[in-house]
Amino acid sequence: MTGIGLVGTGYWGKNHARNWKEMLKEGVIDKLVFCDIDIERAKELAGEGVGYTDSYQELLDDLEIHAIDIVTPSNTHYPIGKEALYAGKDIFVEKPLTMNSAEARDIVKIAESENRIIGVGHIFRYHPGIQKVKRMIDSGELGRIYYMFTNRMAFASPRKDMGVMYALGVHELDLYCYLLGVKYPRNARITKGTFLQPGIEEFADILMEFDDNISGYAVESWMSPFDKKMRVFTIIGSEKSVRVDYMKHDEIEVFNGKITGDLGSHNDPVLVDGEVEIVKIEKAEPLKAELMDFVSCIGTRNQPLADMYSGMRAVEMVEKCLNNECFRPD
Ligand SMILES: NC(=O)c1ccc[n+]([C@@H]2O[C@H](COP(=O)([O-])OP(=O)(O)OC[C@H]3O[C@@H](n4cnc5c(N)ncnc54)[C@H](O)[C@@H]3O)[C@@H](O)[C@H]2O)c1
């Protein structure tokens, strides 16, 4: 039996609300309460069978609520999360886990000492296309990985609480490490542009270097009028390459040509052209998959796929990039 309290029913919280209501109906959870300081918003989303309040303290005092889902502005994740952990609740925290690495390390320490689970909203780990790519990398189907890139562009009002690095870049820094099975890149650096609000970058180019001469880059922008919402990930391998359009939850593109040759080899590099195949994958909503994983971990006490350690490292990486700090000085 699992009771969930959702704190924050704003722009993104309403999607959490919709999925939690579905899971309540399906019997995955058996109690649900929405909380927002704007109680009208919580009330409107709650509807029948869901409680609502404007005080998260009420959720912390409720013994039938086992976990708190925090979808409030990012600078409140740390104080709300900390209180919830000390109140004996597991927590799901939207990304970024916190707004600086000291808080991220502290919240992880608290969760460890209180024996609590933290799930983090690194939603793209749960995208069915990315899950397929991960299986293809791990099985060797893509061959040697050369590089990965992402275009994450939109024409949207910039957030006031953080720039594109904490809002968007955090996804790529986490995801590339996840795909390659490493904790951090060897190094990462950014170029960024801040045009409208001090301290809030509207675009950033991220360059990541990994071991084995693998590289990754990403363009993150809120100021791209030609791409209303473009979110495309590409990975280039020697045997196959794959493109995932994050807006599509049921297919990926696979390029079956080969790219062979490597530094140090005496053979000429060979590019063998091939077909681009649309490969159908099982459709799944990433947000639902991530919340389902979290609920399952509340029961099993296992770490979720997007666990607190990856959430902490992602914040550390964004911070280092913004401060122009070297990752691994070797
Ligand atoms: N994973 C993703 O793809 C994704 C997408 C968008 C946003 N997010 C994250 O979700 C979080 C929320 O973003 P948003 O765009 O929904 O913000 P928002 O401002 O639209 O919503 C935040 C909500 O929290 C409420 N709130 C604030 N303080 C509160 C408190 N102390 N108690 C109860 N309610 C409180 C506000 O009234 C508001 O309704 C951010 O951390 C953001 O980074 C993640």
Side-chain angles (χ1 to χ4, degrees), residues 6-16 34-39 41-42 53-57 59 70-77 80 92-97 99 120-124 152 159 161-162 166-168 170-171 231 287 290:
L6 165 66
V7 188
T9 54
Y11 161 72
W12 190 242
K14 68 178 185 314
N15 293 319
H16 282 243
F34 293 166
C35 165
D36 202 297
I37 43 176
D38 179 348
I39 194 155
R41 202 197 293 266
T53 172
D54 60 1
S55 153
Y56 70 82
Q57 196 55 52
L59 303 181
I70 303 168
V71 197
T72 51
S74 303
N75 62 355
T76 65
H77 293 176
I80 296 177
F92 184 92
V93 186
E94 255 310 334
K95 58 91 237 183
L97 175 58
M99 284 299 284
V120 184
H122 289 298
I123 189 169
F124 295 97
R152 194 181 287 278
R159 297 185 70 99
D161 53 347
M162 58 187 157
Y166 272 111
L168 309 178
V170 70
H171 285 304
R231 300 168 156 196
L287 182 55
E290 108 185 320

Side-chain angles (χ1 to χ4, degrees), residues 169-243:
V170 70
H171 285 304
E172 271 61 65
L173 286 160
D174 170 65
L175 196 70
Y176 291 9
C177 292
Y178 164 65
L179 287 173
L180 296 176
V182 299
K183 289 187 172 161
Y184 301 95
R186 192 151 51 79
N187 206 356
R189 58 189 184 279
I190 60 167
T191 307
K192 64 185 167 79
T194 302
F195 308 110
L196 306 177
Q197 304 175 88
I200 310 274
E201 70 282 354
E202 283 90 19
F203 99 86
D205 287 341
I206 312 174
L207 286 165
M208 291 171 243
E209 294 163 27
F210 294 92
D211 286 338
D212 302 322
N213 198 19
I214 299 173
S215 53
Y217 73 90
V219 183
E220 318 284 354
S221 173
W222 283 323
M223 219 194 266
S224 181
F226 301 103
D227 308 293
K228 296 292 180 229
K229 198 167 187 181
M230 179 196 236
R231 300 168 156 196
V232 182
F233 164 84
T234 307
I235 182 163
I236 309 295
S238 60
E239 300 302 310
K240 284 180 183 173
S241 299
V242 181
R243 185 156 65 174

